[in-house]
Amino acid sequence: MRLWRPRAETDPFMETEKEKTGEHPRKDRKRRQVSNQLVRATEPRRACWALKDLRPEAKKARLSAILFACNCQVTPGQLCELLKYAVLGRSIVPRPSWCQIFHQNHPNNVVVFILQGMSQLHFYKFYLEFEFLRKIFRHKFCLPPQSSNFLADIIGLQKKTTGDLPKTSKGSLPSSSSKANINLHNDSIIQKHGSKKVGLSCCLLTMEEMKTFHFPLQGSPDCENFIPTKCNGSITDNSPLFGLACEMCLTSKGRELTRISLVAEGGCCIMDELVKPDIRIVDYHTSFSGITKTIFNSVATKLKDVQRQLSALLPPDAVLVGHSLDLDLRALKMIHPYLIDTSLLYVREQGRRFKLKFLAKAILGKDIQHPNTLQHDATEDARTALELAQYFLKYGPKKIAELNLESLGSHQELQAAGQKPRNTTEIPHPNTSVLECVNLVGQKLLFVALEKGATELSSYGNCETIKCLSNKEVFEQARVEIPLFPFSIVQFSFDPFTPVFTEEMSKRMKTKWREMSTVYAGPVSRTYNFRPLKRLLKSFGPIQSMSFVLETYQPHLCVQYEVLEAAQLAIESLNGIVVEGICIKVQRPVTELTLDCDILMKELERDSENRDTIYLSGVSESFKDHIFHVSSHFPGLEAVILPKDLESGKQKKFCFMKFKTFASAQRALNILTGKDWKLKGRGALTPRHLHKWLRGFSPESRWPPGLRVMPPPSEQQALQTLKTDHPKVAAWYWGQKIGKLYQNMNPGTLCLILLPGCKRKRWLASRYLQAAW
């Protein structure tokens, strides 16, 4: 499966569930940050989890979910990374390697619900009963097979290490010298540039980056009066670098240039001019620029003068270097093709940018923009940006990554905000468990479970263990205690399906989805020309098999589609239309497994994971590139999922498009199924992980042939009397109970729900995870 995400102003990808978080106003020199929600994961075979959308007052905290799209799988170690990040925040530990979290340093609380004995089979067997989980959790993913100690896996107890952890002195930046604490593969600079040294051309901004970050470009509607520098020579690793910095003032029509400084390699300033705007100045920004009205009385240089002078100074292959160069070039009203922006070269997590002053201190060891000085020195800023680019070219990305800039920058931000940095006590070892991370911040972990299952964590001193006699008591204790602890694990216990019953239910679930993806088209005469009908049926999506049904008085076509969306689209589009002079009826097979199909279809459409996603059939190999070029027509587009054939590796002729909102998805669907694109499509019905789960079922039963599997008598009686311990009723009842606990959680709470199944000698139920922020 191939996944593509458009380079847009917002970055999507995972979603979190319950997060009310406020945003500080963005400063002028900061770019747009990528929006973010957290994820829910529902998984197949052996382990799954889900993360859900938050309820924000301002912007939702988000987990970028696109990284999941290829295999729909998260390992216990990766889940542990997320939990540790949630406890300590980005100021101490690197962000998780498998996702990006936006608009949130760390959640206020973390709550993990474990439904012991339940699995993904329960979720899809009782899909309609799990109303709260399917509506709240937007993303669902799987966990691979693990050891029998599932709880220890996800909180990292089996990787527990001994010995003292490195410490930092109070009030100082955390040390970046210990490489053991830095996962270089997760560093943003390594992910963008790789670990090897790069040449000059690799550091230049690409055309896509210049478009994304609003650099002046020829042909842009807002750059009609901009002057090009006429530099069009070939760039080599020996092309000259020039540091550029500008100061601006505020006029009645906006920000205007007041000073420009240009520094050549070697640090020599070759241009330093004050510029007098043509428009009346409202604010000189004296506290930043040092420029006053008195100074401007003797200035006669105009913008067109410095434009001419700059164009004359720059050779054809000149590379301009600066920090937030887009602002400088817009102030100059000039366009230049070869740029290195140090705020983007030293890339940071989540679309944020390091300040020039911070990079100067962390990389070059020099203090600039000192608070004792009365103004910024544009020449100093230009020279610093130039030296930063030269340092990057000389030492390479790996050397930069080893400095652990993200941790240093977050620490400094906390100090500047007057907060006590969380990492002034200890920096955790990479193998530190979640329990130890909770201890680092001076807190205790809450563990509520039945008495027989509450022994795993009770021996740890910083774990408050509450042993209960029933699931109802677990619920009551959790309702009272969860708000009092930063990290809580609540474990409900249920009787799992027996191995024989699980085997039979798995087969029936696979059969049910296969029958739902099958349609019959007809009736037709025996002399009917089937080609037009076959062509129409193929246009709705990939077909696994197509056969004639001759047992009926008049022939029918039986078509089994690869995806449920294609079958539903065929029914909606073809049923009742005339093809080759015959009115065609398209319907599903009616069996006991498809009797509730209409209700199930409606609920699948409303599923939070499907609601903002559309299905399209008839896409070509160039579809991705075409969408990329017109991505502005599809606001809110988060991802385009392009499935591949497992054997040939070729792209299939259908795709899924994921959007931020339902409205954006519907608008895109109307465009793409219109006369210009001529695609067929509808809203999505099936999450990507579902197909993986269904493929994981054994094709043949491992039980003796001829064995008729029936639910145990106790289960039949429970179904008749609607006792709360029956799995069907338990799914509805405890789904509602968890919903009540969730609704009462504090704002900014990350909530995970795990359906771990259970392991036996010959049978391992699938595990399932759901998560919400």
Side-chain angles (χ1 to χ4, degrees):
M1 177 176 290
R2 211 168 53 180
L3 179 84
W4 166 76
R5 180 178 58 186
R7 297 187 183 184
E9 294 173 350
T10 56
D11 199 353
F13 221 158
M14 294 186 156
E15 296 206 288
T16 52
E17 225 171 344
K18 183 158 184 167
E19 183 73 342
K20 293 183 181 178
T21 161
E23 282 283 305
H24 293 292
R26 299 189 190 95
K27 296 187 178 179
D28 288 339
R29 286 185 174 262
K30 278 199 173 181
R31 282 294 110 207
R32 283 191 177 182
Q33 299 183 12
V34 192
S35 63
N36 191 333
Q37 260 175 320
L38 195 60
V39 179
R40 302 180 243 142
T42 346
E43 157 33 7
R45 210 134 180 103
R46 316 202 173 163
C48 246
W49 65 285
L51 301 162
K52 173 203 166 190
D53 316 321
L54 356 171
R55 305 179 172 178
E57 289 178 347
K59 290 194 175 180
K60 294 182 179 181
R62 299 189 64 166
L63 199 73
S64 178
I66 292 187
L67 297 178
F68 299 127
C70 292
N71 57 16
C72 306
Q73 184 169 286
V74 179
T75 67
Q78 290 172 328
L79 182 55
C80 186
E81 284 180 16
L82 174 64
L83 294 177
K84 290 194 290 187
Y85 184 91
V87 173
L88 297 177
R90 64 174 177 244
S91 60
I92 306 234
V93 295
R95 67 171 176 80
S97 60
W98 54 282
C99 63
Q100 290 179 312
I101 300 175
F102 303 98
H103 302 312
Q104 181 75 355
N105 180 14
H106 57 84
N108 297 329
N109 299 86
V110 179
V111 180
V112 179
F113 291 108
I114 301 176
L115 307 186
Q116 191 67 44
M118 289 193 179
S119 66
Q120 184 161 3
L121 178 60
H122 286 76
F123 181 80
Y124 279 109
K125 173 64 178 173
F126 308 122
Y127 178 82
L128 296 177
E129 284 73 24
F130 277 115
E131 181 179 7
F132 173 77
L133 300 188
R134 60 183 163 84
K135 288 186 176 180
I136 295 301
F137 295 92
R138 186 182 177 194
H139 301 278
K140 304 174 179 68
F141 297 93
C142 63
L143 292 172
Q146 303 121 46
S147 66
S148 57
N149 199 343
F150 179 68
L151 181 57
D153 283 343
I154 63 170
I155 64 175
L157 288 179
Q158 293 181 345
K159 297 180 180 179
K160 183 178 177 182
T161 58
T162 57
D164 295 332
L165 298 174
K167 298 182 179 181
T168 57
S169 58
K170 184 176 181 180
S172 65
L173 288 175
S175 171
S176 61
S177 61
S178 176
K179 297 182 184 179
N181 295 329
I182 307 170
N183 189 339
L184 296 184
H185 286 291
N186 296 338
D187 189 272
S188 302
I189 293 177
I190 295 294
Q191 291 181 349
K192 179 178 180 180
H193 300 285
S195 58
K196 297 180 180 180
K197 291 184 180 181
V198 295
L200 175 60
S201 59
C202 295
C203 297
L204 297 178
L205 291 176
T206 64
M207 183 62 67
E208 288 90 358
E209 287 175 320
M210 287 194 273
K211 288 179 181 178
T212 299
F213 296 105
H214 309 291
F215 280 77
L217 294 171
Q218 285 186 316
S220 297
D222 58 343
C223 301
E224 294 178 355
N225 299 321
F226 282 39
I227 306 299
T229 57
K230 299 179 181 180
C231 293
N232 54 7
S234 299
I235 295 296
T236 68
D237 289 344
N238 296 321
S239 294
L241 304 179
F242 294 87
L244 175 69
C246 297
E247 296 290 350
M248 279 75 84
C249 67
L250 183 65
T251 69
S252 57
K253 290 190 176 181
R255 294 160 62 88
E256 296 285 341
L257 181 71
T258 54
R259 183 183 179 185
I260 175 176
S261 293
L262 188 70
V263 176
E265 291 183 271
C268 176
C269 181
I270 59 175
M271 182 179 179
D272 189 12
E273 295 285 348
L274 292 175
V275 184
K276 191 170 186 177
D278 294 326
I279 305 170
R280 183 178 66 87
I281 298 176
V282 177
D283 187 349
Y284 286 85
H285 290 325
T286 304
S287 58
F288 297 102
S289 65
I291 297 173
T292 63
K293 183 177 181 180
T294 304
I295 293 176
F296 261 69
N297 288 336
S298 58
V299 175
T301 304
K302 296 292 186 177
L303 177 62
K304 61 182 180 180
D305 299 323
V306 297
Q307 288 175 338
R308 252 191 323 265
Q309 186 178 351
L310 184 60
S311 295
L313 283 172
L314 296 177
D317 61 341
V319 177
L320 289 181
V321 182
H323 198 79
S324 296
L325 260 178
D326 55 317
L327 302 178
D328 295 331
L329 290 173
R330 288 191 175 276
L332 281 166
K333 289 182 169 53
M334 297 190 75
I335 298 173
H336 188 76
Y338 311 127
L339 304 171
I340 296 178
D341 193 322
T342 51
S343 71
L344 299 172
L345 182 67
Y346 289 85
V347 62
R348 194 175 186 185
E349 293 179 357
Q350 304 174 5
R352 300 178 302 140
R353 300 194 189 189
F354 291 114
K355 294 182 178 179
L356 181 64
K357 181 177 180 179
F358 166 78
L359 290 175
K361 181 66 176 177
I363 303 295
L364 307 175
K366 58 188 289 187
D367 291 310
I368 64 170
Q369 303 172 1
H370 198 275
N372 293 334
T373 60
L374 297 178
Q375 64 196 56
H376 280 181
D377 185 346
T379 302
E380 182 183 51
D381 290 353
R383 185 177 292 114
T384 300
L386 180 60
E387 291 175 0
L388 286 169
Q390 291 171 329
Y391 186 98
F392 194 99
L393 290 168
K394 180 177 180 180
Y395 293 103
K398 185 177 179 181
K399 177 73 172 178
I400 309 298
E402 289 173 353
L403 296 174
N404 202 6
L405 294 178
E406 187 65 43
S407 179
L408 294 174
S410 299
H411 182 107
Q412 191 179 75
E413 289 171 355
L414 288 174
Q415 286 186 323
Q419 302 177 27
K420 179 182 177 181
R422 289 183 152 208
N423 56 341
T424 54
T425 53
E426 296 183 26
I427 300 177
H429 189 276
N431 289 336
T432 300
S433 70
V434 173
L435 203 60
E436 291 168 321
C437 289
V438 174
N439 189 52
L440 288 179
V441 294
Q443 301 287 348
K444 297 184 73 173
L445 181 146
L446 171 68
F447 182 46
V448 185
L450 294 183
E451 188 171 3
K452 61 181 180 180
T455 58
E456 290 183 88
L457 303 180
S458 58
S459 60
Y460 291 85
N462 68 321
C463 178
E464 181 72 24
T465 301
I466 300 178
K467 301 178 181 180
C468 304
L469 298 177
S470 66
N471 283 331
K472 288 187 177 181
E473 186 179 351
V474 170
F475 169 78
E476 292 298 332
Q477 291 289 346
R479 185 175 57 84
V480 175
E481 300 293 337
I482 283 177
L484 307 179
F485 288 82
F487 196 113
S488 304
I489 299 176
V490 180
Q491 179 171 290
F492 298 96
S493 298
F494 305 94
D495 292 332
F497 287 161
T498 64
V500 176
F501 190 57
T502 297
E503 183 80 13
E504 179 66 15
M505 286 300 101
S506 298
K507 290 170 57 180
R508 289 172 67 85
M509 286 299 300
K510 188 172 184 178
T511 301
K512 178 172 184 173
W513 286 97
R514 183 175 63 247
E515 290 180 351
M516 289 171 57
S517 301
T518 300
V519 300
Y520 290 91
V524 297
S525 66
R526 297 183 184 275
T527 60
Y528 182 75
N529 181 10
F530 283 94
R531 287 186 179 180
L533 180 58
K534 286 182 178 181
R535 189 165 52 249
L536 277 174
L537 291 167
K538 289 179 180 179
S539 68
F540 299 114
I543 293 177
Q544 282 191 338
S545 65
M546 182 182 292
S547 59
F548 290 102
V549 179
L550 303 177
E551 285 78 7
T552 53
Y553 175 70
Q554 291 180 299
H556 287 69
L557 268 181
C558 176
V559 182
Q560 182 184 338
Y561 285 98
E562 185 178 324
V563 292
L564 180 61
E565 288 83 357
Q568 186 66 16
L569 193 56
I571 293 173
E572 295 169 347
S573 304
L574 281 185
N575 191 34
I577 74 167
V578 177
V579 180
E580 292 291 301
I582 293 181
C583 183
I584 300 297
K585 182 178 182 180
V586 182
Q587 59 186 331
R588 285 190 177 88
V590 179
T591 69
E592 63 180 71
L593 298 177
T594 59
L595 286 175
D596 62 352
C597 189
D598 291 340
I599 298 175
L600 186 56
M601 287 295 169
K602 291 180 181 179
E603 293 305 318
L604 285 170
E605 286 182 336
R606 298 171 184 171
D607 191 299
S608 56
E609 188 171 9
N610 300 327
R611 183 173 170 79
D612 306 331
T613 304
I614 62 174
Y615 163 82
L616 295 171
S617 177
V619 301
S620 63
E621 291 185 359
S622 61
F623 178 77
K624 180 195 73 171
D625 297 327
H626 196 178
I627 285 289
F628 175 78
H629 290 303
V630 295
S631 58
S632 60
H633 295 169
F634 302 101
L637 176 61
E638 293 189 343
V640 179
I641 298 93
L642 302 162
K644 284 186 176 182
D645 186 270
L646 296 178
E647 295 182 359
S648 66
K650 292 183 179 180
Q651 177 183 317
K652 295 186 178 181
K653 295 183 179 181
F654 72 95
C655 75
F656 292 89
M657 295 179 68
K658 183 178 178 60
F659 291 83
K660 291 179 62 177
T661 64
F662 173 75
S664 297
Q666 292 303 303
R667 180 179 181 275
L669 182 62
N670 292 335
I671 294 174
L672 292 168
T673 56
K675 61 180 180 179
D676 294 331
W677 291 77
K678 298 180 180 178
L679 300 176
K680 290 183 170 61
R682 70 174 325 279
L685 294 170
T686 53
R688 296 183 297 280
H689 67 85
L690 178 60
H691 299 120
K692 177 183 174 68
W693 180 59
L694 292 173
R695 286 196 304 269
F697 288 148
S698 302
E700 297 180 359
S701 173
R702 287 171 287 190
W703 303 103
L707 175 64
R708 187 182 180 192
V709 181
M710 295 292 292
S714 59
E715 292 185 342
Q716 291 181 331
Q717 295 169 6
L719 183 58
Q720 294 171 0
T721 57
L722 294 179
K723 292 181 179 179
T724 57
D725 58 349
H726 184 274
K728 185 183 183 73
V729 181
W732 174 85
Y733 181 81
W734 290 106
Q736 296 295 315
K737 288 293 186 181
I738 292 174
K740 290 182 179 180
L741 291 175
Y742 171 76
Q743 298 292 347
N744 292 329
M745 289 179 191
N746 294 326
T749 297
L750 167 64
C751 177
L752 307 181
I753 300 180
L754 294 140
L755 285 73
C758 62
K759 190 173 184 180
R760 301 188 180 182
K761 281 188 177 181
R762 297 185 60 202
W763 167 66
L764 178 60
S766 60
R767 303 187 181 209
Y768 187 74
L769 167 73
Q770 304 194 10
W773 204 325

